């Protein structure tokens, strides 16, 4: 079944005549007539009784009623594809690490979604190595994370510099009395620290 001819059939029913449908679709009336003739030939039934006013045959009414959802879905699909081509719709698979996922991402996503309401976003929160693996396997489109390993095959663009927050020692700790604490000051002291692959830990270990 020719979908273009089916759409023309629905426009004829909606407009009430071949002539009005042709004007609305910017077709010559002969083109509309040929499309309906081809549709009837393909289906092997007469769909429209011609006259001063068109009237659907029993087969025409059945086709119209049963194909109405198909035509609507096709129109929606065409609109979505057009939006996708213009960059106004689609799906973005985003990865992020903490604390950026909680601290920076909500504001950025809010602004983005206000500007592009038809674009859907999925967010996967994981470590930088895990996100890099997903990028390499194509299950993510981009990631907000620390720098990947050298020779990973990924492109990295620095967006901001993350600084350490505060050093929190327990009550009575020798460093608690110091006005300022340098990285070398904490050497030799027991620390509660992030996992081995964490970029903050790597900074401390350098």
């Amino acid at each position: 079944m020719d979908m273009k001819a089916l759409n023309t059939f629905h426009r004829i029913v909606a407009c009430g005549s071949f002539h009005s449908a042709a004007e609305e679709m910017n077709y010559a009336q002969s083109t509309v007539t040929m499309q309906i003739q081809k549709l009837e030939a393909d289906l092997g039934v007469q769909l429209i009784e011609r006259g001063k006013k068109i009237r659907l045959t029993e087969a025409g009414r059945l086709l119209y009623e049963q194909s109405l959802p198909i035509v609507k879905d096709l129109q929606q699909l065409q609109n979505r594809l057009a939006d996708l081509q213009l960059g106004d719709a689609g799906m973005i698979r985003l990865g992020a690490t903490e604390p950026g996922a909680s601290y920076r991402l909500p504001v950025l996503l809010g602004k983005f979604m206000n500007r592009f309401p038809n674009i859907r976003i999925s967010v996967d929160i994981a470590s930088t190595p895990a996100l890099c693996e997903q990028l390499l396997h194509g299950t993510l489109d981009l990631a907000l994370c620390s720098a990947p390993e050298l020779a990973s095959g990924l492109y990295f663009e620095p967006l901001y510099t993350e600084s350490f927050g505060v050093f929190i020692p327990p009550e009575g700790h020798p460093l608690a009395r110091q006005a300022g604490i340098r990285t070398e000051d904490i050497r030799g002291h027991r620390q509660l620290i992030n996992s081995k692959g964490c970029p903050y830990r790597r900074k401390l270990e350098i």
Side-chain angles (χ1 to χ4, degrees):
M1 185 186 301
D2 188 338
M3 294 305 299
K4 185 179 291 186
L6 181 61
N7 185 60
T8 299
F9 169 70
H10 275 262
R11 295 320 307 153
I12 292 171
V13 175
C15 295
S17 72
F18 282 66
H19 177 73
S20 298
E23 284 189 337
E24 182 182 289
M25 302 176 72
N26 200 26
Y27 286 168
Q29 185 167 334
S30 58
T31 301
V32 171
T33 301
M34 288 176 59
Q35 286 184 353
I36 296 304
Q37 288 174 343
K38 183 179 185 305
L39 184 61
E40 290 177 328
D42 289 342
L43 296 175
V45 292
Q46 184 180 356
L47 301 172
I48 300 175
E49 293 180 359
R50 280 72 161 174
K52 290 184 178 180
K53 291 185 178 181
I54 66 163
R55 191 175 70 171
L56 295 179
T57 64
E58 187 64 29
R61 284 193 294 273
L62 177 64
L63 176 64
Y64 178 77
E65 292 170 0
Q66 295 295 315
S67 63
L68 192 57
I70 298 173
V71 173
K72 287 183 177 180
D73 288 344
L74 180 61
Q75 185 60 55
Q76 289 180 352
L77 176 60
Q78 290 173 332
N79 292 339
R80 288 177 182 175
L81 289 173
D83 288 342
L84 187 64
Q85 189 175 16
L86 294 172
D88 294 330
M91 176 75 177
I92 296 176
R93 301 165 301 176
L94 174 65
T97 57
E98 292 290 10
S102 299
Y103 178 60
R104 300 178 185 273
L105 205 54
V107 175
L108 295 175
L109 289 181
K111 292 179 179 179
F112 182 88
M113 295 175 73
N114 284 335
R115 185 174 178 184
F116 303 100
N118 294 325
I119 295 181
R120 294 179 296 129
I121 300 177
S122 66
V123 180
D124 189 1
I125 300 174
S127 65
T128 292
L131 295 177
C132 289
E133 282 295 317
Q134 289 181 264
L135 287 168
L136 290 170
H137 285 90
T139 56
L140 287 180
D141 298 311
L142 70 157
L144 183 67
C145 59
S146 57
E149 297 292 335
L150 293 175
S152 65
L154 298 172
Y155 173 76
F156 177 73
E157 179 70 30
L159 298 178
Y160 56 88
T161 301
E162 193 75 80
S163 59
F164 285 99
V166 294
F167 176 75
I168 307 177
E171 187 177 356
H173 193 279
L175 296 178
R177 295 188 294 270
Q178 290 188 202
I181 299 174
R182 300 166 299 174
T183 305
E184 54 265 29
D185 293 335
I186 65 176
R187 295 183 189 276
H189 293 279
R190 183 178 295 177
Q191 303 165 38
L192 180 63
I193 199 167
N194 303 70
S195 61
K196 191 173 181 180
C198 176
Y200 299 105
R201 176 170 175 169
R202 290 203 300 268
K203 274 191 174 185
L204 288 172
E205 291 175 342
I206 292 176

